[in-house]
Amino acid sequence: MADPSDPNDVPDPTGQQARFLTVMTTIDSEAKAGRLARGAIEGRLAACAQIGAPVTSVFRWDNAVETSQEWQVLFKTAEARYEALEAYLLDAHDYDTPEIIATPVTRGGAGYLSWVTKETS
């Protein structure tokens, strides 16, 4: 049962306590980042997606150290939508092994989290 005094205890439409995640990926162009973001929002896999300015990533791939410019996409979603969001990202992404990292939201504004629940239902 939801606790009205806890701003993170937001009931989902079934009356259960909802949990929330931020899910991050990176991709090699702003246009591709926009397509990933739009597809996730259109599919109600996330309530919001933010595209960060280019970052420089340094990583090992195929036994070589690589450096590339990438755009970060940060999705705000309900935990219940994670598997569908991950499947979408794996299918829509053109990297062999895309970065997909989910971080639990431990606190958040009740109104915002209610909106995330509504937009991902």
Side-chain angles (χ1 to χ4, degrees):
M1 183 82 180
D3 176 357
S5 66
D6 182 349
N8 296 301
D9 200 4
V10 179
D12 72 13
T14 67
Q16 300 296 313
Q17 182 178 351
R19 300 284 183 200
F20 304 93
L21 301 170
T22 58
V23 178
M24 194 214 15
T25 194
T26 55
I27 196 154
D28 61 0
S29 83
E30 186 175 11
K32 290 177 186 178
R35 285 192 294 274
L36 286 177
R38 181 169 286 282
I41 302 308
E42 288 173 348
R44 293 195 174 271
L45 304 174
C48 174
Q50 295 173 317
I51 300 168
V55 296
T56 300
S57 295
V58 180
F59 54 95
R60 185 177 305 278
W61 188 256
D62 289 333
N63 295 317
V65 175
E66 303 285 340
T67 302
S68 69
Q69 188 175 59
E70 296 181 300
W71 281 256
Q72 291 180 330
V73 187
L74 184 64
F75 301 91
K76 284 59 170 288
T77 193
E79 186 176 58
R81 298 299 283 151
Y82 175 79
E83 284 79 14
L85 176 58
E86 180 185 41
Y88 161 74
L89 291 173
L90 289 170
D91 183 59
H93 212 293
D94 60 3
Y95 287 9
D96 291 339
T97 307
E99 173 181 19
I100 303 172
I101 297 176
T103 304
V105 173
T106 59
R107 297 195 54 90
Y112 184 80
L113 296 178
S114 290
W115 174 78
V116 170
T117 298
K118 178 180 158 245
E119 293 303 315
T120 57
S121 296

